[in-house]
Amino acid sequence: MDKNIDWANLGFGYIQSEYRYISNFKDGKWDDGVLSTDANVTINESAGVLQYAQTCFEGLKAYRTKDGNVVCFRPDLNAKRMADSCRRLEMPVFPEDRFIEAVEKVVKANIDIVPPYGSGATLYLRPYMFGSNAVIGVKPATEYQFRIFVTPVGPYFKGGVKPITLRVPDFDRAAPRGTGHVKAGLNYAMSLHAIVDAHNQGYNENMYLDSATRTKVEETGGANFIFVSKDGTVITPKSDTILPSITRRSLMYVAEHCLGLKTEEREVLVDEIKDFTECALCGTAAVLSPVARVVDHSKDIFVAKDTENMGEITKKLYDTLTGIQMGRIEAPNGWIKVIQ
Ligand SMILES: *Cc1c(COP(=O)(O)O)cnc(C)c1O
């Protein structure tokens, strides 16, 4: 294991690793793919990605488990979601079985920087694809590059599990109808202004509402919401314009099947969140981050029952999910891919 990294104090940043996986698409097919030590990408000035943002990505993690294995959590769902993103952006699909093989290869090549069990850090994997040849008329590129790099990361929000605060912004979330299911930089680029503004005003993140009516809760910049109602039901917003988080789908399964809780995936009105007892953000990066307060133009519209600590049900969900990922709790069938 790399002795130069201070695992316990890692933030969520980029640390260059030795190896990344690269495969190129040309003349209608993907090449065999290689591991490379070159962290730089060289492309034409008119590449499809640079002019028309033809690119999408994924995010998943490798964990070192209690018994010393290195595992990935449900990489098949990342492979499938990336294929969906590619189809929506008129990009060629990187075959799902090859996606999983590439994940395995790149983690194995960088096994020395998979953080130790119990350190609180994990290895984040960033698969992505972009149009690499020159286009100037508005049309899809004909050549693409698929890459996966890795970087060891700590918690996404500073302070670990301490509750964060959100606000409802004046800005709509970037993802317009139809692109909500695409995990793509184009949606993130349009959200940067809202997030910088939120930070300037002292909030950690935004609670985006549906752009059509601005009455329903959507998600935050890069994570879905989970709420708990007074009677202990775990509720998550149902919407066509949010990214279907793998963490959220897993947590809802865990709530129902491992913890025996009542669950609902349904439209959530902004007006009803004042009655909820717990709120948290979920995603690969955020894991499950508790929310203390949500503010709408200086008015509190949600205040957690406990604003200092993770709520009771959020904590149970967090412990069960991370227990499964770190090998302390038996995983539902097919959730854990051992890297060997
Ligand atoms: C990646 C992402 C999420 C979280 O999805 P996970 O699969 O749980 O990591 C949520 N919302 C958006 C917009 C995202 O890009």
Side-chain angles (χ1 to χ4, degrees), residues 183-200:
K183 197 168 176 72
L186 66 97
N187 289 329
Y188 278 82
M190 293 306 290
S191 76
L192 293 178
H193 187 56
I195 200 161
V196 168
D197 193 67
H199 290 170
N200 285 343

Side-chain angles (χ1 to χ4, degrees), residues 81 173 183 188 219 221-224 243 245-247 282-284:
R81 190 170 62 189
R173 187 165 143 276
K183 197 168 176 72
Y188 278 82
E219 60 172 331
N224 286 181
L243 203 272
S245 156
I246 293 163
T247 315
C282 63
T284 299

Side-chain angles (χ1 to χ4, degrees), residues 8-307:
N9 293 307
L10 275 183
F12 200 89
Y14 172 77
I15 297 174
Q16 193 174 309
S17 77
E18 185 140 24
Y19 297 103
R20 71 276 305 120
Y21 178 88
I22 306 174
S23 180
N24 288 297
F25 182 88
K26 198 178 170 174
D27 300 328
K29 55 182 190 296
W30 288 103
D31 68 13
D32 290 341
V34 290
L35 288 167
S36 166
T37 55
D38 188 356
N40 294 312
V41 177
T42 305
I43 44 175
N44 183 273
E45 61 191 352
S46 195
V49 57
L50 297 178
Q51 303 310 325
Y52 301 121
Q54 208 186 8
T55 177
C56 62
F57 68 95
E58 271 303 322
L60 70 158
K61 283 174 171 174
Y63 308 82
R64 211 176 275 276
T65 64
K66 191 165 163 253
D67 46 14
N69 285 327
V70 172
V71 304
C72 283
F73 183 70
R74 311 187 78 179
D76 52 316
L77 298 188
N78 295 100
K80 183 169 180 308
R81 190 170 62 189
M82 186 153 183
D84 290 341
S85 292
C86 286
R87 282 186 278 264
R88 182 63 179 77
L89 292 171
E90 290 296 334
M91 300 165 76
V93 166
F94 192 70
E96 292 176 38
D97 54 337
R98 285 201 57 198
F99 179 104
I100 295 168
E101 271 169 38
V103 162
E104 207 162 1
K105 271 194 188 141
V106 78
V107 173
K108 250 200 242 175
N110 293 287
I111 203 100
D112 286 354
I113 55 162
V114 181
Y117 173 76
S119 65
T122 51
L123 189 72
Y124 184 73
L125 277 70
R126 173 53 62 89
Y128 63 115
M129 192 194 294
F130 52 87
S132 52
N133 67 308
V135 285
I136 193 69
V138 179
K139 59 172 193 264
T142 52
E143 294 174 18
Y144 293 85
Q145 192 164 93
F146 170 84
R147 297 173 77 106
I148 308 178
F149 70 78
V150 303
T151 180
V153 293
Y156 191 75
F157 293 105
K158 275 198 228 75
V161 297
K162 229 184 126 31
I164 58 170
T165 56
L166 317 181
R167 63 90 193 250
V168 175
D170 290 325
F171 315 100
D172 276 343
R173 187 165 143 276
R177 289 211 166 268
T179 66
H181 282 61
V182 179
K183 197 168 176 72
L186 66 97
N187 289 329
Y188 278 82
M190 293 306 290
S191 76
L192 293 178
H193 187 56
I195 200 161
V196 168
D197 193 67
H199 290 170
N200 285 343
Q201 295 189 38
Y203 300 100
N204 300 88
E205 255 289 1
N206 293 297
M207 170 182 272
Y208 294 109
L209 309 182
D210 75 295
S211 54
T213 70
R214 294 188 62 81
T215 58
K216 290 172 255 177
V217 176
E218 292 259 282
E219 60 172 331
T220 62
N224 286 181
F225 277 109
I226 290 215
F227 297 99
V228 179
S229 67
K230 282 200 181 89
D231 72 352
T233 306
V234 179
I235 300 166
T236 195
K238 187 181 174 73
S239 163
D240 283 343
T241 47
I242 64 175
L243 203 272
S245 156
I246 293 163
T247 315
R248 185 251 296 167
R249 286 180 262 165
S250 305
L251 285 166
M252 294 304 277
Y253 182 95
V254 161
E256 189 181 339
H257 299 279
C258 307
L259 301 175
L261 299 168
K262 217 175 127 228
T263 60
E264 287 175 4
E265 185 183 354
R266 62 164 172 85
E267 286 190 343
V268 173
L269 298 173
V270 204
D271 285 346
E272 65 177 315
I273 66 169
K274 61 179 188 313
D275 299 324
F276 293 152
T277 52
E278 299 176 37
C279 169
L281 306 183
C282 63
T284 299
V287 190
L288 188 59
S289 300
V291 173
R293 219 157 60 95
V294 184
V295 176
D296 186 358
H297 298 83
S298 43
K299 191 172 138 233
D300 281 345
I301 57 166
F302 167 82
V303 180
K305 204 163 126 198
D306 183 345
T307 57

